Amino acid sequence: MTAISLGPSPARRDVLTKRIRLLVAATITYNVIEAIVAITAGTLASSTALIGFGLDSVIEVSSAAAVAWQFSATDHDVREAREKRTLRIIAVSFFALAAYVTIDAIRALTGTGEAEHSTPGIVIAALSLAVMPFLSTAQRKAGRELGSATAVADSKQTLLCTYLSAVLLVGLVANSLFGWSWADPIAALVIAAVAVKEGREAWRGDACCGPIPTTSAVTETDACGCKPGCTCCN
């Protein structure tokens, strides 16, 4: 019977690990800059949406830092041992993001404060909308191939940041052009619901991607290495 490899070779695993480290470092660097710009612009414009977006960037940094901590270990077994704790940190980050976005959206809907036009806010939202999908896709692809649930979960939070960027951009532009202050908080509540769902999956360990088999075989996983019913790779 032909032996079946359940994951990438050690050499390929090293390549993927280094790639994830670079992507996480890029995510942290960009989000630190994004947080500073968004919080500063939000404070100047009295925009709770911009301030909330900046705080989301801070949460994204904490999630990426947790993954960086996991992959700082050179030994594969040590990284696997850190997997569950890192997933919990990511889950808490999702819950914190959902809580803040919900509170911020309710405040906006009840008419607390009136945001002014913010050109820097529009620019950073548009830039994030272009940058975040690339970082999320690259990290998710590497995480799936490596079989790292934490890398996949963190890539989901980066993708969620993309959605928030779109929501923020639409809200800022609509507020500047038409005075539609209600569009942003309504969409933000939908994003918060998605964040809760992703947080629950990360807490339970449902980010269940396993390493992609290097040889074909009849297994209880699909083409991307996910168990039946798992949605982490979708």
Side-chain angles (χ1 to χ4, degrees), residues 15 17 31 85 90 93 117 168 172 214 222:
V15 171
T17 298
N31 275 280
R85 187 180 302 178
I90 292 174
S93 297
H117 168 76
L168 177 65
L172 291 176
T214 55
D222 64 14

Side-chain angles (χ1 to χ4, degrees), residues 3-231:
I4 299 175
S5 174
L6 296 179
S9 65
R12 179 59 178 169
R13 186 183 296 123
D14 288 342
V15 171
L16 293 170
T17 298
K18 290 178 182 178
R19 184 177 301 171
I20 290 176
R21 286 174 182 164
L22 287 174
L23 289 169
V24 169
T27 299
I28 291 175
T29 301
Y30 180 82
N31 275 280
V32 168
I33 297 173
E34 182 181 76
I36 294 173
V37 173
I39 293 176
T40 301
T43 301
L44 293 175
S46 300
S47 171
T48 53
L50 259 175
I51 294 174
F53 183 72
L55 292 178
D56 162 66
S57 299
V58 174
I59 294 174
E60 172 65 19
V61 169
S62 70
S63 174
V67 177
W69 168 71
Q70 179 194 356
F71 281 88
S72 65
T74 57
D75 186 82
H76 177 64
D77 292 334
V78 175
R79 290 198 300 269
E80 285 192 338
R82 293 179 177 181
E83 183 100 347
K84 183 175 182 180
R85 187 180 302 178
T86 306
L87 277 173
R88 291 293 174 88
I89 294 174
I90 292 174
V92 170
S93 297
F94 271 122
F95 293 144
L97 173 58
Y100 185 87
V101 169
T102 299
I103 294 172
D104 186 64
I106 292 175
R107 289 179 59 190
L109 286 172
T110 55
T112 303
E114 185 173 342
E116 300 174 3
H117 168 76
S118 176
T119 299
I122 293 175
V123 171
I124 193 65
L127 184 60
S128 296
L129 196 57
V131 172
M132 288 302 174
F134 167 76
L135 290 175
S136 176
T137 301
Q139 184 173 333
R140 189 178 189 182
K141 182 179 179 181
R144 283 173 52 187
E145 184 175 350
L146 184 61
S148 171
T150 50
V152 173
D154 185 57
S155 74
K156 281 189 169 187
Q157 189 167 74
T158 303
L159 184 61
L160 186 62
C161 186
T162 302
Y163 299 151
L164 284 173
S165 300
V167 169
L168 177 65
L169 183 60
V170 170
L172 291 176
V173 172
N175 184 43
S176 296
L177 297 179
F178 311 110
W180 294 350
S181 59
W182 49 265
D184 184 294
I186 292 297
L189 289 175
V190 176
I191 298 297
V194 175
V196 170
K197 173 181 177 295
E198 301 297 349
R200 289 178 59 191
E201 290 184 357
W203 186 269
R204 294 195 307 260
D206 287 354
C208 52
C209 281
I212 299 176
T214 55
T215 58
S216 59
V218 178
T219 65
E220 291 300 318
T221 60
D222 64 14
C224 78
C226 289
K227 298 176 183 177
C230 173
T231 60

